[in-house]
């Protein structure tokens, strides 16, 4: 298949729905083959079914220490290479700070920092060896890492001390890896989203729960807070998942080859946290 990303192979985590699902679709539409990872096997099957044969599913809990190596092995077994890693999987477990438990903090660090850290460490040999081969043979080929963060991480957000801290930590990882992997032409960037319409930000009466370990964590935002949040967006409304995927796609494309170690805010102009 031709396309901007023809021959590229991407891993997208949290691809069963929302921003990750839309990102997998956009990457595949432009020629990439996509290894889609999520806890939710049914959602993954729906996403992979929409990729026109250009994707495979890996149903895994990314907080399990062995999962990242399985994901990288699947990309190499299936397609023989790996060029793009999008660390997008995540959820929120909100609470006001003075009542927040150690478990709430640990859960957010686990999924938003440790899981991306481990996936990139597992991908490192594949990305780095290919980069060194290209350099030895005189080719300049750019590979891409995109870490999904939030304006909660860059600006703070009431009720999300755990999530904001974990997302901020991910930007530290992003900027450090950009320095280490830049010489290998592996672009490492982050996207900080504002309010995107997904299950995570649906009305709390409809969003349902996220099940992890022994926990059933309520998702969503109270209706009044959603309305206030939307009113603060200069573009006048939240983003669709497809619009959010556009920001990630830019950082996966050759048009961003000299964008490196950056946090791209995709928030419709919003310049503060959601609440
Ligand atoms: N929606 C927003 O407004 C918004 C704003 C800023 C940042 N984000 C970030 O964007 C990313 C995607 O969120 P979304 O809004 O598309 O949410 P979503 O709930 O629609 O999708 C997230 C997906 O991640 C998966 N996931 C969560 N934990 C996992 C785990 N341990 N292993 C494997 N898969 C796991 C879920 O099953 C789900 O399918 C998240 O990192 C989120 O923090 C979202």
């Amino acid at each position: 298949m031709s396309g901007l990303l023809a021959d590229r192979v991407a891993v997208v985590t949290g691809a069963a729905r929302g921003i990750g699902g839309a990102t997998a679709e956009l990457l595949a539409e432009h020629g990439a083959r996509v290894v889609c990872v999520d806890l939710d096997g049914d959602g993954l099957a729906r996403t992979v079914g929409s990729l026109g044969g250009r994707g495979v599913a890996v149903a895994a809990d990314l907080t399990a220490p062995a999962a990242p190596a399985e994901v990288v092995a699947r990309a190499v077994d299936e397609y023989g290479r790996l060029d793009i890693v999008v660390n997008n999987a995540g959820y929120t477990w909100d609470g006001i700070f003075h009542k927040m438990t150690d478990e709430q903090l640990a859960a957010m660090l686990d999924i938003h920092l440790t899981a991306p850290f481990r996936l990139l460490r597992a991908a490192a040999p594949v990305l780095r060896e290919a980069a060194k081969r290209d350099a030895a043979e005189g080719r300049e080929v750019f590979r891409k890492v995109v870490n999904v963060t939030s304006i909660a991480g860059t600006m703070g957000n009431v009720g999300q001390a755990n999530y904001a801290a974990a997302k901020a930590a991910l930007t530290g990882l992003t900027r450090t890896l950009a320095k280490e992997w830049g010489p290998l032409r592996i672009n490492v960037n982050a996207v900080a989203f504002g309010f995107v319409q997904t299950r995570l930000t649906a009305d709390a009466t409809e969003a349902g729960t996220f099940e992890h370990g022994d926990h059933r964590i309520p998702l969503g935002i109270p209706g009044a807070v959603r309305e206030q949040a939307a009113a603060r967006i200069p573009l006048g409304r939240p983003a669709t998942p497809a619009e959010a995927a556009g920001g990630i796609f830019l950082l996966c494309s050759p048009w961003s080859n000299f964008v490196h170690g950056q946090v791209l805010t995709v928030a419709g102009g919003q310049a503060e946290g959601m609440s």
Side-chain angles (χ1 to χ4, degrees):
M1 181 180 173
S2 60
L4 198 60
L5 301 179
D7 303 329
R8 306 272 93 181
V9 172
V11 164
V12 178
T13 71
R17 61 175 52 72
I19 298 166
T23 299
E25 284 169 15
L26 195 54
L27 293 174
E29 190 187 319
H30 288 270
R33 285 161 297 167
V34 188
V35 177
C36 298
V37 189
D38 206 289
L39 274 174
D40 172 2
D42 293 342
L44 269 183
R46 278 193 296 278
T47 299
V48 170
S50 72
L51 302 184
R54 306 191 64 74
V56 290
V58 179
D61 179 351
L62 283 156
T63 64
E70 282 167 32
V71 171
V72 173
R74 186 68 191 278
V76 173
D77 291 349
E78 196 77 35
Y79 299 123
R81 57 187 295 154
L82 176 58
D83 308 280
I84 297 168
V85 178
V86 180
N87 275 307
N88 164 80
Y91 63 99
T92 48
W93 191 359
D94 296 351
I96 203 72
F97 179 74
H98 62 277
K99 294 185 180 169
M100 194 169 272
T101 63
D102 286 357
E103 214 174 2
Q104 276 173 285
L105 174 64
M108 291 296 96
L109 291 170
D110 243 17
I111 185 60
H112 296 291
L113 177 64
T114 307
F117 171 89
R118 287 195 186 125
L119 181 56
L120 293 171
R121 189 177 55 187
V126 179
L127 295 172
R128 291 169 58 86
E129 286 314 311
K132 286 182 195 163
R133 244 184 346 263
D134 285 331
E137 291 166 16
R139 288 186 299 270
E140 188 173 62
V141 177
F142 285 82
R143 292 176 175 80
K144 308 281 180 176
V145 171
V146 182
N147 293 326
V148 172
T149 180
S150 164
I151 61 172
T154 50
M155 299 179 227
N157 195 25
V158 171
Q160 294 194 319
N162 54 349
Y163 176 75
K167 288 298 201 187
L170 187 58
T171 66
L173 175 66
T174 302
R175 291 200 159 111
T176 300
L177 212 46
K179 291 197 162 127
E180 293 194 17
W181 288 2
L184 295 168
R185 306 294 185 265
I186 304 169
N187 292 137
V188 187
N189 290 292
V191 179
F193 290 117
F195 184 178
V196 184
Q197 296 245 34
T198 66
R199 180 183 67 170
L200 206 65
T201 55
D203 192 290
T205 57
E206 294 161 11
T209 54
F210 178 76
E211 290 175 33
H212 196 248
D214 297 335
H215 298 288
R216 289 171 67 90
I217 299 155
L219 297 174
I221 304 177
V225 177
R226 290 181 90 242
E227 278 174 31
Q228 286 162 18
R232 284 205 200 91
I233 302 170
L235 281 182
R237 61 166 174 79
T240 64
E243 287 167 330
I248 295 174
F249 181 82
L250 172 68
L251 295 175
C252 294
S253 83
W255 307 120
S256 62
N257 284 354
F258 223 70
V259 180
H260 191 65
Q262 301 301 306
V263 180
L264 173 67
T265 300
V266 176
Q270 189 178 350
E272 57 188 272
M274 276 178 61
S275 57

